[in-house]
Amino acid sequence: MSLADIAGLQCVVCGRMYGFDVEGTCTQCGPDGILDVRFEYRRIRESLRATPLATREQSLWRYVDLLPVDSALPRPPFQIGATPLLFAPRLAASLGIQKLLIKNEGANPSGSVKDRSSAMAVIKALEKGMKTVACASTGDSASSMSALAAAVGLRAYVFLPEKCPESDLVQSLLFGATVIRVKGNYTETVRLCDQACSEWGWYSGNHATNPYLIEGEKTLGHEIAEATQNEVPDWVVVPVGDGCTVAAVWKGIQEMHHLGILPRRPRMLGVQARQVAPIAAAFRGAKEIEPQEGDTIADSIRVSRPADWRRALRAVRDSEGDFVTVSDEDIFEGLHVTARLAGASVGLAGGAAVAGLRGAVQERVISSRDSVLVVVTANGLKNVPEARNLVETPIEVEPDLGKIELQLARRRARRA
Ligand SMILES: [Zn+2]
């Protein structure tokens, strides 16, 4: 897009408008005042007419008219987005619904939806001539930012809380980032990263303070909308931690509806872990967010003080959607059943989404006649160590068919 297509940046708390190219949050509202990029859709409509979506490349660049990047500048060599949409009839039957689609964001280059937002951080850093990017992360954003920074030759500093997935930690190191493991929780990790960015002049790739990241992530909503425009699902299910993904998906869906591409909008179901569910609690009544210092096995949704709770709440409310919460046991069950009945490796956050769907069907929030699309935010291979406890041990034998036969017979006898 041309940057003239941006109307400005609007504070999500007080509504004050800022000019394009500011960084950080609203000067009046402080850290709560996340800025949201607002576009001139009339001009975007014209450029979509001139070059229809169907004729464009299969990646997040397909929606470049809706991204706050200068399309005159060269694009980094990223192949992000256009992730698979899997039809899952066996899982649908087991959950008791008509139709189920799984949008698999694990197919992105570093294995998560965060490649969409990290792409924006890296592009913005390059636009500004910065040499270093930094971000705080529960895991996915760290490995993603590290990978994309490596691809374009930026230095990356990633901050992870003490309790984080080994896979993301090792991936980040492998991509050449400097990894700072903070002896504290995610909120403390974000604070420290923000301090480091302002002290040392690093480009901040933090969702809470950088208004452009969600713009990359909303292309997930664009893809969902474009792929389902002829048969819009009744519900879209998203696991919720910091709140940015559900807000991003909704923004993408809203834009496609506004541009006349999506005939109607699905309802959003946000899923939080039962012990760490501050946004779900706010949805049920509290006016402001109350931090919840609970724990869950699912790292990427373990966020006790979510930064993007306002936009997440707005997304679910505006869509006439709902929130559900799930236990760790439910999350494991969701991961397991999706693997067995859909052949999809979805990780713990994906497991939470499927578990949330099951809960919503049981509570009759979602009807058995409804069609549903579940967003899986990361690749299940990231959670192999946790999944190890769900499965039985392999049959170990010498290279001898007879020995296998013996062991198979034993296993059958045990099961009988
Ligand atoms: Zn404000």
Side-chain angles (χ1 to χ4, degrees):
M1 74 180 307
S2 148
L3 297 181
D5 298 339
I6 293 178
L9 279 78
Q10 186 172 34
C11 171
V12 299
V13 182
C14 72
R16 187 176 165 181
M17 288 295 287
Y18 287 83
F20 177 59
D21 233 24
V22 296
E23 295 287 340
T25 53
C26 174
T27 50
Q28 309 264 301
C29 305
D32 273 357
I34 291 179
L35 300 179
D36 192 46
V37 185
R38 315 297 296 178
F39 294 87
E40 298 281 9
Y41 290 106
R42 186 181 51 79
R43 295 169 57 116
I44 293 169
R45 222 173 253 127
E46 282 164 17
S47 62
L48 285 173
R49 246 196 305 272
T51 319
L53 283 179
T55 65
R56 300 182 180 199
E57 66 176 283
Q58 293 284 351
S59 83
L60 105 172
W61 298 119
R62 192 179 181 85
Y63 311 101
V64 69
D65 318 63
L66 290 154
L67 294 177
V69 295
D70 192 343
S71 49
L73 293 174
R75 286 177 200 167
F78 302 150
Q79 193 58 47
I80 296 165
T83 53
L85 195 56
L86 174 78
F87 182 48
R90 293 184 68 215
L91 184 56
S94 139
L95 296 170
I97 53 170
Q98 282 281 315
K99 186 179 171 188
L100 176 61
L101 293 164
I102 297 174
K103 178 70 170 167
N104 185 7
E105 286 292 291
N108 279 306
S110 84
S112 84
V113 63
K114 295 302 172 193
D115 286 341
R116 297 177 189 267
S117 41
S118 301
M120 287 301 112
V122 165
I123 288 165
K124 284 288 160 195
L126 291 173
E127 274 182 14
K128 289 171 191 296
M130 311 279 276
K131 300 274 183 279
T132 305
V133 287
C135 76
S137 169
T138 54
D140 291 330
S141 291
S143 48
S144 172
M145 190 75 78
S146 306
L148 300 190
V152 299
L154 288 174
R155 271 191 301 274
Y157 289 84
V158 299
F159 291 65
L160 286 161
E162 196 166 24
K163 208 167 162 193
C164 67
E166 187 73 7
S167 55
D168 288 308
L169 186 114
V170 174
Q171 264 201 92
S172 302
L173 291 165
L174 203 56
F175 291 129
T178 302
V179 175
I180 296 154
R181 198 170 185 177
V182 181
K183 291 182 174 134
N185 64 19
Y186 174 62
T187 305
E188 292 162 316
T189 305
V190 173
R191 199 178 303 135
L192 190 63
C193 178
D194 282 339
Q195 283 171 358
C197 288
S198 59
E199 189 67 26
W200 295 318
W202 298 341
Y203 187 75
S204 166
N206 282 338
H207 277 272
T209 46
N210 187 318
Y212 303 109
L213 300 197
I214 193 175
E215 298 301 314
E217 208 165 339
K218 78 181 179 185
T219 58
L220 167 57
H222 296 153
E223 281 179 20
I224 290 172
E226 196 189 347
T228 63
Q229 57 186 308
N230 296 323
E231 210 174 327
V232 183
D234 297 298
W235 290 87
V236 171
V237 184
V238 185
V240 178
D242 213 18
C244 46
T245 305
V246 70
V249 170
W250 181 243
K251 187 168 186 182
I253 285 173
Q254 286 271 66
E255 287 184 335
M256 295 294 265
H257 183 248
H258 188 66
L259 291 165
I261 294 162
L262 190 69
R264 67 180 181 88
R265 291 163 301 177
R267 300 166 81 178
M268 305 293 290
L269 181 75
V271 183
Q272 293 217 279
R274 191 153 298 154
Q275 306 304 322
V276 204
I279 306 182
F283 181 80
R284 294 272 171 255
K287 218 168 170 212
E288 288 289 314
I289 200 88
E290 289 285 339
Q292 268 187 23
E293 304 290 343
D295 199 10
T296 171
I297 182 76
D299 295 275
S300 62
I301 56 171
R302 189 194 302 122
V303 181
S304 52
R305 292 165 188 264
D308 221 349
W309 65 273
R310 275 194 180 81
R311 280 192 293 195
L313 265 190
R314 239 171 248 172
V316 174
R317 285 199 175 127
D318 288 356
S319 75
E320 296 173 32
D322 210 335
F323 268 96
V324 288
T325 64
V326 291
S327 68
D328 279 2
E329 207 175 32
D330 299 335
I331 291 173
F332 275 128
E333 166 64 18
L335 181 162
H336 205 183
V337 77
T338 311
R340 296 233 162 175
L341 298 180
S345 172
V346 301
L348 292 164
V354 172
L357 167 56
R358 187 190 286 283
V361 173
Q362 282 165 355
E363 290 166 29
R364 297 181 194 278
V365 171
I366 291 180
S367 134
S368 61
R369 292 182 307 279
D370 286 343
S371 61
V372 180
L373 184 149
V374 170
V375 173
V376 168
T377 47
N379 196 311
L381 289 173
K382 292 188 182 209
N383 293 126
V384 162
E386 293 86 354
R388 194 74 188 81
N389 301 323
L390 293 174
V391 293
E392 52 183 25
T393 50
I395 292 172
E396 291 188 27
V397 287
E398 292 80 40
D400 177 336
L401 202 59
K403 298 250 165 88
I404 300 181
E405 205 175 8
L406 198 67
Q407 292 227 36
L408 285 174
R410 273 192 206 138
R411 196 164 273 205
R412 276 194 293 269
R414 252 201 327 268
R415 279 188 190 145

